Structures are given as C-alpha cells and as structure tokens.
Amino acid sequence: MASTKEISEDQRKSAVRPLRHMADLDYSVVQQCMHCGMCLPSCPTYLETRMERNSPRGRIALMRAIADGELEVTREFGEEMYYCLGCLACTTACPAGVDYPQLFEHARAEVEAADVLFTPGRRFWRWLTLRQLFAKPWMLRAVGRMLWLYQASGLCALVRKSGLLRLLPENLRNLEPTTPTVCRHFSEQLIAEIETPPARKYRVGMLTGCVQDLVFSDVNLDTVEVLLANGCEVVTPRDQGCCGSLHAHNGDLEQAAIQARRLIDQFDLASLDAVITNAAGCGSHLKHFSNLLRDDPAYATRADAWDRKARDISQWLVEIGFRKPNGVAETSQVMTYHEACHLCHGQGISKQPREILKAIPGLEFVELENATHCCGSAGVYNITQPEQAGKLQREKAACIAKTGATLVATANPGCHLQIQNAVGGETVVKHPISLLAASYRAEKGEAR
Amino acid sequence: MTSVTKAAPVATLSSSTIARLRELAGAENVLTEPEDLIPYGFDGTAALKHGAACVVMPRTSEVVAAVLRFAVSQGIPVVTRGSGTGLSGGSVPVDGGIVLTLVHLNHILEVDPANLTLLAEAGVITKAIDDAALPHGLFYPPDPGSMKISTIGGNVANNSGGLRGLKYGVTRDYVMGMEVVLPDGSIAWLGSKCVKDVAGYSMKDLFVGSEGTLGIITKVLLKVVPRPKARRTLLASFDSMEAAARSVSKIIERQIIPCTLEFLDRRTCECVEDYAKVGLPTSAAAVVLMETDGHPAVVEEEAAAMEAIARECGAISVEKAADEAHAVRLATARRSAFSALARIRPTTILEDVTVPRSHLAEIVAFVEEVAARHRLQIATFGHFGDGNVHPTILTDETDHEEMERVHLALEEIFAKTIALGGTITGEHGVGLAKKPFLSGQFDEASYALMKQVKLALDPRGLLNPGKIFDLDR
Ligand SMILES: Cc1cc2nc3c(=O)[nH]c(=O)nc-3n(C[C@H](O)[C@H](O)[C@H](O)COP(=O)(O)OP(=O)(O)OC[C@H]3O[C@@H](n4cnc5c(N)ncnc54)[C@H](O)[C@@H]3O)c2cc1C
Ligand code: SF4
Ligand code: SF4
C-alpha cells in the first residue's frame, strides 16, 4: 500500500487514479476466501435459488476469475453483482475474515467501467441520481422541496388520479405510492451549527446524511438532543451532502472518493472526539474512508484519522455510558428491534441499540425472529430487483406480526421506509434514538 | 496433494448432449454459462480446482436416474455434489464431466418416533435433520463442523464425523438404509427400519464413505436417538499440549465417555477468538472443550470428575459454560476453527490424520517438531477423544519454495501416522487430495479388492473417476 512507502511525485500523481477495479484490489483480499461455504446459509439469494453463483462464495469465485483473467466482465457477471443485495450477512458469517464489502464495491465498479449493463435509460438514471442529485447537496434539497410541495399541496393525489404516472418506468411507478413523505424542515433549519450543553464533556461532529436529512430530519434533531443530554457539544457543518455510500455501493468509486474528500474537509477532526452518524448505511461506508482514499497522499492520513473517529450513535452512547432515561413517553407498548444489515453486519453493532432500547421505561422489548435478516430495502435494491425485495419484505412483516409489537425500532432510513410500508399504519417504525429522545423529553414533561 | 492452481482448459459437451440433458432434467436445471460453472469448480479444499462442462440440478430420484443412465451411455463422467464443503476434493469436477448437484432434493420425508428413524432426501442440510428430530424429543448426533450447510448425502458419502464422535460415533452408525441410483440407471433400496437385519450383504455399508464413486445416494434412512435431558460444557486450559493430552487419556481411562473432547492449540484459539469473541483463552498452549450429556445426575457427576481430572493434570483454569446458550456458542466457535485459521495466511491446508488414542500426544508433538524443522506455521486442533487431529498448514500456494517444504512436512506426518498404526484420513475422505498417499496405507490385496468392487458396479469408470484411487494404477 503506497501510503506507507516513500513515493515519487510522478507516482503520487498517478496514484490518484480516477477508477478502481478488481485488479487494483490487493490480491490477498480476493484470495482470502477459502471457499469453505460457511457463509452460504446466511445468504438470502443463495437460499432462494441454491445456485452457487448466487452465493457469496460463488460471487467471489467469479471476481477471482476476473482478477485472474479467466473471465471477462460480462453482462451475466454484471447482473450477478446487482442481484447481490449487499446485505453483508456473509461478512458476519465468514470465519475467515473475508472483506466482502470491499470486494463487492470493486466488482460493481468493474461492471460500471465495462458498461456491460448499458441501456440509455439506465445511464440516464445513474447520471441523474449519482452524479447530480446525490452529488450536489443543493439539487437534492431543491428536489426535496418540490417533493414536499407536491405531497403537501394535494397535487400528489391529483397526479395519481390523472394516470400521469404511467409515463414512469414500471419499477419506479410501482414504487410511487411508497415514496417517503418529505419533512417540512431540513436538519439545518432545526439544528444550529454549534450546540453546546450546560456541562460539556465531549465535542462531536454530526453527520446529517442525505436521505436522513430529507425524510428524517426529526431523527437528526433527536440525535442532537440526545447528544446534548449526554454532555456532548455538537458541531453540525452546513451543506454536508451525501457521504458517498450510495455511490460506492453502486459502482461509482470515483464520485464516492469526491464525496469523501468533501466531507472530511468540512470537519476539524483534531477538535472532535468523534464524528457521529445515525444512519447505518452511511456508517458502514464512512468508517472505511481510508480504503477509498489510501492512494491519495493528500487525504490518506486524514482518512485514517476519520475512520478512527467515526461512530454510530448507539455505539458512541454506550461507549460514553449514556444516562439512563426515566421519562415515560409511550406506555405499555410492545416493541421489537430490526437490525439494519449495515449496522449488524456492516459495523458489528448489535448489542448497543438493544441496550438503549431496553433502558427506556414504558416499553416492553420482545426479540424479533431473524432480526438480522435483510428486509429487502438494501439501498435501491427494491427498485432494481422488486421481486426478491418484496419477498424479503413479506418475510420481515410476518416475523414482526408474530411478536405482536406495535412499535418497531430500526436505525436506517431505507429499512425504516421498507418496514413502514410492510406493516401498514397500526404499527409504527421509529429510530431507537428517537425513542430515547422522547423519553428524555418526557422527564421534563415535554412533547414534540 | 495434486495442485491445479490455474484452471485447465475444459472439455465441453456437444449441443445435442446439452439439449438431451435439458429434456431430461428441465432446461432451468441445466447450467452451461461460464458464470454459472466457475463457482462449481472447487469444494472446500485448498488449491484444487477444475472447470465443469455442465451442472445439472435434478429435483427427483427419477431425474437423477435418467441423467446418469444417459451420461453413462454417452461415456460422460459424472461427479455428484452436495454443498461442496468437502475437504479432500471429492466433488471437484473432472474434465468434460457433468456435476450433478443434489441441493434441490431437500425434503424431509418422514420422522418415525415409534421406530426412532428419519427418512430424508440426500440434499437435506445436516442441521435440518436434527432440527426436524427436535420437536419429537429426538436427536441426530453427528455434527460435522459444516453442519449448517453440508448435505446428509455428502455426510454419508464421506462417512463424516463431528464433535460428538467419542460417545455417539460417526455418520455410518446412524445409516439404516438408503435409496441409491446405480450407474446403469437402476434405483436400488438398501437396508430397512429393522434394528436387526442380516438378509444378504450389508450393501448400504458399501456406499457409506464411497465418495460418490459407486452410486448416487438419493434418500437416506437415519437412526435418531432420544435427546439427552442434560448437558454440561467445560473449557479447560493447559500450559502444555502434553498436559492436555494426559488429561484426555485419564478421562478415558477412568471410563468416562463424554460426548465431546475437542482441543485447540494457541494459534487456533487466537483465530477463533478473533472471529467468534466467545472468551476463549488465547494465552494457554492448549484448550480442551469437554462436554457430557445424558441423565442430569450422571452429567453432574461426570462434569465434576472431568474437572477434577483436568486440575490433577495441571490445568491452569477450568471454566463452566454459564448456560445452554453459552455452551452452544462455544461449540459453534469450535466448529469454525478451520475457516478461522484462514485469517493468517492465503492458503490453509488442513490434514486429518488419526491415530489410536494412546498415541495422541506423540503425533501432536511430532507435528510441532516437523513444523519447526521445515520452518512452517502449523496450527493443530481436532477431536482429541477420537485420536483425530487436524494439523493445519498456514501457507501460500503461490510461494513454490515454501510449498516444497509443505509437501515434505506432509509426507513425514503421514509416514509417522501410519507407523503409529493410524490412518491418513479419519473423516474427510481421500478424494483427490489424499490419493497420492493412500498407497502407504494399503497393501496390494486391498487395492485389488477396491478395484474389483468399483469395476463390478461402475465398469466404465464414469462415476467420480480419479477420486480415492486410479483404476489404472
Ligand atoms: C468448515 C468446515 C468444517 C468441517 N468439519 C467437518 C467435521 O467436523 N467432520 C467431518 O467429517 N467433515 C467436516 N468437514 C468436511 C465436509 O463438510 C464433510 O465432508 C461433508 O460431509 C461434505 O458434505 P457436502 O454436502 O458438502 O458434500 P460435497 O463436498 O459436495 O461432497 C463430498 C463427497 O461426497 C460425494 N457425494 C455428495 N453427495 C453425494 C450423494 N448424494 N451420493 C453420492 N455421493 C455424494 C461427492 O462426490 C464427494 O466425493 C468440514 C468442512 C468445512 C468446510
Ligand atoms: S466468504 Fe468466507 S465463509 Fe464464505 S466461502 Fe469464503 S471463506 Fe468461507
Ligand atoms: S451481501 Fe448478502 S446477498 Fe450479497 S453475497 Fe453477501 S449475503 Fe449474499
């Protein structure tokens, strides 16, 4: 790895390459899989078809065949890499410590570079989402604002009636009724750039996220409240934008690196004890900026420091010994917990959210069967592979129904929406931090 | 070890052959694209790989029979495959051959509590068998480390062991009958539900451990036993391998038969702990996982006796599993030992030598000495109670100089094993990986007999050819 060795100026320039593929991966990452098959029973797509290519072991074998020059990047390979949910259940299951997230991201990048899945429509949607919408904070906000107006003004109902939606591609059209309701306010309108608690013990940076900012800015507000209640001064830079996880998971490592640099630039790391995220999907990506930027001499060291300071909110709270709440906001509710893939598999965080949830008075905690199974949201998987996503969603809903819970806690916006759409109106989905914040508020007799 | 690192060019099947296979098995069950085939080019064995010409996924015994009859009539080799977790290359494809994978034959057909039997299709996952026995208060004891994914057909074909071999025996001890498809396409039923049955040769036993070379097992009739009422798990650590071995011998000498006596050396403990985080001691030279099950009173007594013996033999610590869940976590962690060792070096070569129990300490010490002499990293773990050890060489297949030393070390370990009256494989089978070393263990007459049996059943040598031994040797 170049960052640790002496490198010449030329090497330094060429090291910051625009694209990263299988061949750029350290071969040992590909070689790490000893094809024992221990991951197979945890993989949703393998369990569906029982074909090796749809398993982690099979996918890694295909990647290795490409790295070894035994297979070209083909359309079939591309489709396989997008049939994978990226749920990372295989990472938890693998005793050999295979870094599947890295393999998967590079494989998708390889697929995009070879353009084997090309259709004009796909290219347009990718450009629009990855290079425009989620690359430019102002644009996402503008769209968010329009969506909010559309939903709040009643235009939405009108459009549904008019049949205009038929103009959209089928996958998207099926999804329209499940489009999340956009929040009235963005995080910045709710949170000051620096919020200081009465007794300051820590100073942390706060990541507002992109989807979280748009759809769940209330979760961001709750997070700041909880941090303040635990003696953390919170620094929330403006105009943060997407952390790039969306790009990395979809084969655009070049843009992901741009997003990562931008985010690092916004925080004065030396002055912070931690950088906090409350979205599992972001956390599992942004704890590994050093992988993404390791060949960039200007950022490699800062990316290392960043990785060391990045924390999921529940992880941080348990680390600092959060104050147990004693306000009862919701009485005698049965609650269960769905583990977001990118929290339990991506970050190995399982105990901490439970510790928080169990500390909240008035809620009865029931374990969810197969809590770590993917709900089918998996980034944009519910758009690209609606069938498999729908199947996983129904399985999740059935398990939730068995618990009798009226409240489901989960810590990722994608899962939140996917599950809310599955369980209907009776059962409410909340971020664990929102429940904790509500309990703190109830201590003071406040409500929101 | 036959080492084929780069995939050799693969002979293909003609389009009319593929078309016929599609007719027989259904088009969606016949795979021919490179992206479909590459993932079937290996099993769980290091450094063995070969491309398949085609993969067929039958869903009934009849389709298995039809495909096999057709393949044999065309002179096409057939490799049967379960979940491909084998550790001797048994299900690695052969050139121009069909891989027949039985994972869709995955139905449990009957649990018979009155006769204590269970009938399952060959592709059922091992753990699913025990799960199906559980609600009836029954128990299927063989529990290979791979039980969450290995198939019962693969277990029978390899006569697999597990962590409970000492008390409960191995897969063979539970096979009462089976349905098997023979190379001529006929379907034979062997064995019965009777506890006693001496009508004719015990043909089912011929197929146990036959590694897919004699016929394709499609259904298995298994014996199940009452589920033990109680279980106690202990973890004893020692500052020398000898002390650990001594306590195991003492336990057996005092006529205690626990279900599990598994040991792990320091390096194995480190890797497993790194993965599973179950609180294994990582500073002890050897750790022994002991488990006793059965009647609650007996279990308490045996657990106390084992603890006392371990302490007598100089255990640094003896820890009891806090509860059932903790005990399961410890056993699960032990099951991941082999894969967890892959954390250290790129290539993980696992051996499976077994010696009469009285020679355990000797073989373990010998492995350590060989490792030092050949400058190799070897971690050892295994089934102490069965005399079955897994010296695991942590190496890099691309380093030719080191691989030379690996081969020398292996030869010495095998020679020593045989000199001690042991066997080169206790539970993983011969397959491709151990084939070159088999001759040291067998005399000419044994070879001739195996060959005669093989030719009687499979005269054209098309079922898993080149596995266990070569017909033309
Ligand atoms: C992590 C790990 C731990 C393991 N632990 C143990 C252990 O503790 N004890 C142990 O004994 N083994 C162990 N194994 C080895 C392996 O799991 C067993 O040999 C298992 O029985 C193989 O089952 P499979 O379904 O994967 O068979 P495969 O690997 O697919 O096939 C194994 C052999 O059986 C043949 N075969 C498969 N199905 C049939 C059938 N229906 N009819 C005829 N022939 C067939 C194949 O041709 C091949 O020769 C372990 C493996 C791994 C990866
Ligand atoms: S990814 Fe891990 S568990 Fe899966 S086959 Fe490879 S080494 Fe085994
Ligand atoms: S990420 Fe999920 S779907 Fe993809 S290989 Fe791993 S377990 Fe399977």
Side-chain angles (χ1 to χ4, degrees):
Chain A
M1 272 152 276
S3 61
T4 53
K5 289 192 205 125
E6 274 303 312
I7 44 176
S8 74
E9 196 49 41
D10 275 357
Q11 276 172 316
R12 194 165 297 175
K13 273 189 198 128
S14 68
V16 193
R17 269 168 304 189
L19 281 170
R20 312 273 296 275
H21 309 307
M22 298 302 305
D24 298 338
L25 257 185
D26 198 334
Y27 192 67
S28 65
V29 182
V30 194
Q31 218 182 0
Q32 190 61 39
C33 172
M34 38 107 73
H35 38 85
C36 63
M38 296 288 268
C39 53
L40 267 58
S42 66
C43 173
T45 55
Y46 176 74
L47 293 181
E48 180 68 18
T49 66
R50 304 213 175 244
M51 277 164 61
E52 282 282 349
R53 68 175 267 184
N54 302 141
S55 79
R57 173 170 73 168
R59 291 181 176 125
I60 296 169
L62 292 177
M63 296 175 200
R64 187 167 177 170
I66 286 176
D68 287 346
E70 286 167 12
L71 181 73
E72 303 269 297
V73 180
T74 56
R75 187 178 174 84
E76 289 268 328
F77 176 77
E79 282 169 356
E80 191 52 58
M81 292 310 126
Y82 280 90
Y83 184 47
C84 170
L85 290 145
C87 70
L88 310 186
C90 49
T91 309
T92 302
C94 174
V98 169
D99 187 352
Y100 190 78
Q102 240 200 104
L103 287 169
F104 165 76
E105 286 179 357
H106 280 76
R108 280 197 176 175
E110 187 86 48
V111 169
E112 295 311 328
D115 216 7
V116 286
L117 298 176
F118 172 81
T119 64
R122 187 175 186 275
R123 177 169 292 176
F124 170 74
W125 282 108
R126 282 183 64 83
W127 172 82
L128 185 69
T129 50
L130 298 177
R131 290 296 168 107
Q132 301 298 315
L133 217 46
F134 287 94
K136 302 176 176 158
W138 65 266
M139 192 177 291
L140 192 62
R141 292 191 169 193
V143 170
R145 204 64 333 206
M146 271 153 36
L147 213 54
W148 178 77
L149 277 172
Y150 169 78
Q151 288 166 338
S153 65
L155 188 65
C156 164
L158 208 68
V159 168
R160 277 182 197 163
K161 248 189 259 161
S162 74
L164 265 176
L165 291 169
R166 260 173 288 156
L167 296 175
L168 284 174
E170 193 189 337
N171 289 355
L172 284 181
R173 195 191 323 144
N174 292 340
L175 218 64
E176 199 278 346
T178 66
T179 305
T181 313
V182 174
C183 284
R184 187 191 177 105
H185 297 290
F186 298 119
S187 305
E188 286 178 17
Q189 295 164 279
L190 304 170
I191 305 165
E193 192 162 354
I194 296 180
E195 302 250 7
T196 310
R200 193 185 105 173
K201 283 190 273 178
Y202 307 96
R203 186 177 155 92
V204 302
M206 165 78 190
L207 292 161
T208 47
C210 47
V211 178
Q212 198 80 318
D213 187 27
L214 212 62
V215 190
F216 296 113
S217 53
D218 51 335
V219 175
N220 282 341
L221 181 57
D222 291 336
T223 306
V224 172
E225 281 183 21
V226 165
L227 284 167
L228 289 171
N230 283 282
C232 304
E233 180 171 72
V234 187
V235 184
T236 312
R238 316 282 92 177
D239 286 325
Q240 291 182 13
C242 175
C243 66
S245 79
L246 201 73
H247 306 86
H249 295 167
N250 287 287
D252 192 349
L253 291 173
E254 187 187 355
Q255 187 67 34
I258 295 174
Q259 302 293 121
R261 288 190 199 98
R262 176 145 75 211
L263 210 51
I264 291 177
D265 284 342
Q266 285 172 323
F267 289 85
D268 174 24
L269 279 179
S271 72
L272 299 173
D273 297 306
V275 181
I276 307 291
T277 172
N278 54 25
C282 310
S284 90
H285 170 70
L286 56 79
K287 285 179 172 174
H288 305 284
F289 276 176
S290 57
N291 280 339
L292 205 58
L293 301 175
R294 68 167 174 233
D295 294 337
D296 182 341
Y299 279 86
T301 328
R302 285 160 75 195
D304 278 339
W306 172 277
D307 288 1
R308 279 196 303 276
K309 293 203 169 163
R311 292 285 187 288
D312 176 75
I313 177 69
S314 66
Q315 180 187 18
W316 173 248
L317 288 175
V318 169
E319 210 171 294
I320 62 171
F322 72 102
R323 180 170 73 72
K324 305 285 177 289
N326 47 42
V328 178
E330 329 217 19
T331 43
S332 60
Q333 284 231 54
V334 177
M335 167 197 45
T336 193
Y337 175 59
H338 160 72
E339 307 204 30
C341 294
H342 282 251
L343 200 58
C344 65
H345 303 308
Q347 302 177 57
I349 296 178
S350 264
K351 287 196 193 124
Q352 296 93 325
R354 284 187 173 80
E355 193 174 327
I356 292 171
L357 290 169
K358 286 180 182 168
I360 300 173
L363 298 176
E364 185 198 337
F365 185 88
V366 203
E367 277 296 343
L368 177 66
E369 190 183 320
N370 299 333
T372 59
H373 285 197
C374 180
C375 64
S377 159
V380 291
Y381 197 84
N382 47 4
I383 306 175
T384 55
Q385 308 273 351
E387 233 172 82
Q388 178 71 18
K391 189 174 166 275
L392 293 169
Q393 188 184 37
R394 284 190 297 280
E395 285 172 8
K396 186 55 73 180
C399 287
I400 292 173
K402 270 199 248 170
T403 62
T406 48
L407 187 59
V408 182
T410 194
N412 192 49
C415 310
H416 194 137
L417 297 169
Q418 179 86 344
I419 292 176
Q420 189 65 73
N421 285 328
V423 294
E426 314 270 276
T427 308
V428 182
V429 183
K430 294 263 184 179
H431 194 294
I433 290 311
S434 297
L435 295 170
L436 179 60
S439 182
Y440 282 148
R441 280 196 295 270
E443 291 169 357
K444 297 178 273 180
E446 291 170 13
R448 197 178 71 217
Chain B
M1 285 221 12
T2 336
S3 156
V4 194
T5 329
K6 275 266 171 186
V10 179
T12 49
L13 297 173
S14 73
S15 54
S16 61
T17 303
I18 299 288
R20 183 70 189 133
L21 286 170
R22 293 207 161 111
E23 273 170 36
L24 293 171
E28 72 284 7
N29 297 317
V30 178
L31 312 177
T32 55
E33 294 299 320
E35 294 81 357
D36 285 317
L37 301 182
I38 287 169
Y40 288 93
F42 48 79
D43 63 1
T45 320
L48 285 178
K49 157 163 147 185
H50 194 87
C54 149
V55 172
V56 181
M57 310 182 83
R59 287 167 193 264
T60 64
S61 309
E62 288 68 33
V63 173
V64 173
V67 170
L68 189 56
R69 190 181 304 121
F70 170 68
V72 169
S73 75
Q74 304 295 305
I76 304 167
V78 174
V79 177
T80 310
R81 179 182 164 107
S83 288
T85 65
L87 297 176
S88 57
S91 54
V92 172
V94 302
D95 205 36
I98 296 172
V99 169
L100 203 68
T101 170
L102 300 192
V103 289
H104 285 310
L105 288 175
N106 61 350
H107 303 96
I108 295 197
L109 304 172
E110 183 197 66
V111 184
D112 180 352
N115 287 304
L116 299 183
T117 61
L118 187 153
L119 180 67
E121 290 184 319
V124 172
I125 303 298
T126 314
K127 184 169 180 296
I129 305 249
D130 188 44
D131 288 348
L134 178 70
H136 302 273
L138 296 171
F139 180 40
Y140 176 70
D143 61 339
S146 51
M147 65 193 256
K148 278 190 186 165
I149 185 64
S150 68
T151 64
I152 191 68
N155 292 172
V156 174
N158 272 357
N159 189 16
S160 298
L163 272 56
R164 305 187 181 117
L166 178 58
K167 176 170 174 182
Y168 289 103
V170 295
T171 305
R172 179 187 299 283
D173 301 309
Y174 295 84
V175 179
M176 298 186 73
M178 64 175 70
E179 180 187 85
V180 51
V181 177
L182 299 171
D184 64 0
S186 57
I187 303 181
W189 175 262
L190 312 171
S192 72
K193 278 191 187 177
C194 301
V195 177
K196 304 163 81 172
D197 182 353
V198 292
Y201 299 144
S202 182
M203 295 303 293
K204 67 175 169 65
D205 280 303
L206 186 58
F207 289 87
V208 179
S210 64
E211 302 189 26
T213 61
L214 301 178
I216 301 177
I217 301 156
T218 44
K219 293 191 181 102
V220 189
L221 179 69
L222 296 163
K223 175 170 95 178
V224 283
V225 298
R227 221 171 174 84
K229 297 269 181 299
R231 178 190 307 282
R232 266 269 177 224
T233 306
L234 305 176
L235 200 65
S237 33
F238 299 86
D239 55 15
S240 78
M241 189 58 81
E242 288 68 40
R246 214 166 40 239
S247 71
V248 168
S249 307
K250 272 260 162 59
I251 289 171
I252 294 169
E253 231 174 80
R254 301 241 180 116
Q255 302 184 355
I256 299 171
I257 304 288
C259 60
T260 296
L261 280 179
E262 294 287 307
F263 85 103
L264 306 106
D265 70 1
R266 179 182 294 137
R267 199 171 273 138
T268 311
C269 278
E270 278 166 7
C271 288
V272 171
E273 186 55 24
D274 196 20
Y275 162 61
K277 308 200 170 48
V278 285
L280 285 182
T282 49
S283 55
V287 166
V288 180
L289 181 72
M290 310 172 174
E291 192 166 286
T292 151
D293 66 359
H295 187 281
V298 178
V299 164
E300 283 312 316
E301 202 180 296
E302 288 189 342
M306 292 200 299
E307 180 173 351
I309 294 171
R311 292 199 191 279
E312 254 170 59
C313 296
I316 319 170
S317 73
V318 183
E319 230 187 289
K320 289 194 186 74
D323 50 24
E324 177 71 24
H326 186 214
V328 170
R329 278 210 305 282
L330 286 173
T332 308
R334 154 61 190 91
R335 285 197 185 92
S336 70
F338 161 52
S339 308
L341 279 168
R343 290 172 173 247
I344 298 191
R345 298 286 309 278
T347 311
T348 312
I349 298 176
L350 173 76
E351 288 310 330
D352 180 31
V353 294
T354 306
V355 293
R357 280 192 289 245
S358 52
H359 292 304
L360 252 181
E362 203 174 338
I363 191 76
V364 173
F366 182 78
V367 168
E368 280 179 5
E369 189 260 310
V370 166
R373 191 150 37 76
H374 291 289
R375 289 171 288 120
L376 292 169
Q377 285 190 54
I378 307 187
T380 304
F381 65 97
H383 318 288
F384 241 7
D386 306 344
N388 183 189
V389 292
H390 296 312
T392 306
I393 308 185
L394 313 176
T395 177
D396 182 351
E397 63 190 285
T398 58
D399 182 338
H400 298 296
E401 187 272 328
E402 185 170 327
M403 286 306 282
E404 286 289 309
R405 285 183 277 131
V406 168
H407 283 268
L408 288 177
L410 283 178
E411 274 169 20
E412 288 177 26
I413 292 171
F414 288 142
K416 178 75 176 178
T417 303
I418 292 168
L420 291 173
T423 170
I424 57 170
T425 170
E427 56 176 15
H428 297 159
V430 178
L432 286 174
K434 313 251 164 23
K435 184 167 76 168
F437 304 103
L438 196 62
S439 54
Q441 197 175 327
F442 278 149
D443 53 32
E444 277 310 313
S446 320
Y447 257 117
L449 179 59
M450 287 207 297
K451 191 165 157 180
Q452 252 176 317
V453 172
K454 168 79 176 167
L455 288 174
L457 279 143
D458 178 21
R460 297 182 66 183
L462 292 170
L463 263 182
N464 217 0
K467 308 295 170 69
I468 309 182
F469 60 101
D470 289 314
L471 274 175
D472 52 11
R473 71 159 239 124

